Amino acid sequence: MPIIPDTSDWTWVLERACPACEFRASEVAFEDLPRLIRENAAAWGEVLVRADVAMRPNDHTWSPLEYAAHVRDVCRRFDERLRLILDEEDPLLANWDQDATAITEQYHRQVPETVGRELAVAAASVADSFAAVPADARQRTAHRSDGPSFTVTTLGAYFLHDIVHHRHDVGAD
């Protein structure tokens, strides 16, 4: 059975705690984002050396390797989105089909050591990008084609939940 695409709108995590990973996006201080992003990236090192890193727990759940590759790409995507918000006036954030990316990029066949290095680089880049946001730019806005709007601050909290949640998905929290 193939992975069933997740079409949920996860923006609700900006208003209430995630019942699965217990993350509370509304309690994240913007100034803490860079450190929390880096800490999350560091935790993936232990995941990527597991003997079962490429094994799916079942037919409809990604393997830890696939989750790590996804987190790497989430870091890259949100770095791009943050730069767009800072460079343009209320930009439209393009849709991203994460499941299609996983298939196209063959996450399941990637080399764990390479994914780990690339994840660390991508996380450091997005952490640096959030650290460089001036206080007067944190309320700049963007929106998705399906309706939700974000400020730089809520984009950061939403992004952080994503990567924290996936660390929870692989039992590394």
Side-chain angles (χ1 to χ4, degrees), residues 6 38 67 93 170 173:
D6 181 2
R38 290 175 195 283
Y67 273 115
L93 303 176
V170 300
D173 53 352

Side-chain angles (χ1 to χ4, degrees), residues 100-172:
T101 301
I103 293 166
T104 303
E105 298 297 320
Q106 298 187 356
Y107 284 176
H108 66 289
R109 293 187 176 183
Q110 294 191 17
V111 177
E113 296 82 11
T114 303
V115 171
R117 282 192 305 274
E118 292 171 348
L119 191 157
V121 169
S125 179
V126 72
D128 289 348
S129 294
F130 275 109
V133 174
D136 64 351
R138 293 178 187 171
Q139 294 308 309
R140 291 184 60 86
T141 60
H143 61 281
R144 283 193 331 214
S145 61
D146 62 345
S149 293
F150 297 92
T151 64
V152 169
T153 299
T154 60
L155 183 81
Y158 178 77
F159 158 66
L160 187 61
H161 168 261
D162 196 340
I163 63 175
V164 166
H165 192 97
H166 291 316
R167 197 175 73 204
H168 171 78
D169 286 333
V170 300

Side-chain angles (χ1 to χ4, degrees), residues 75-108:
C75 289
R76 291 172 175 168
R77 178 70 50 165
F78 276 80
D79 205 5
E80 293 167 3
R81 289 178 173 182
L82 176 58
R83 292 175 202 279
L84 190 64
I85 294 172
L86 296 173
D87 292 344
E88 296 182 16
E89 197 65 37
D90 195 36
L92 174 66
L93 303 176
N95 291 336
W96 178 43
D97 186 335
Q98 62 191 23
D99 298 296
T101 301
I103 293 166
T104 303
E105 298 297 320
Q106 298 187 356
Y107 284 176
H108 66 289

Side-chain angles (χ1 to χ4, degrees), residues 35-93:
R35 175 183 55 79
L36 295 169
I37 293 166
R38 290 175 195 283
E39 287 174 2
N40 182 278
W44 286 94
E46 292 179 21
V47 172
L48 288 165
V49 296
R50 292 180 187 166
D52 66 345
V53 71
M55 294 183 64
R56 288 184 171 174
N58 54 54
D59 290 342
H60 57 274
T61 304
W62 280 345
S63 69
L65 174 60
E66 290 169 300
Y67 273 115
H70 171 68
V71 168
R72 173 203 59 209
D73 289 351
V74 168
C75 289
R76 291 172 175 168
R77 178 70 50 165
F78 276 80
D79 205 5
E80 293 167 3
R81 289 178 173 182
L82 176 58
R83 292 175 202 279
L84 190 64
I85 294 172
L86 296 173
D87 292 344
E88 296 182 16
E89 197 65 37
D90 195 36
L92 174 66
L93 303 176

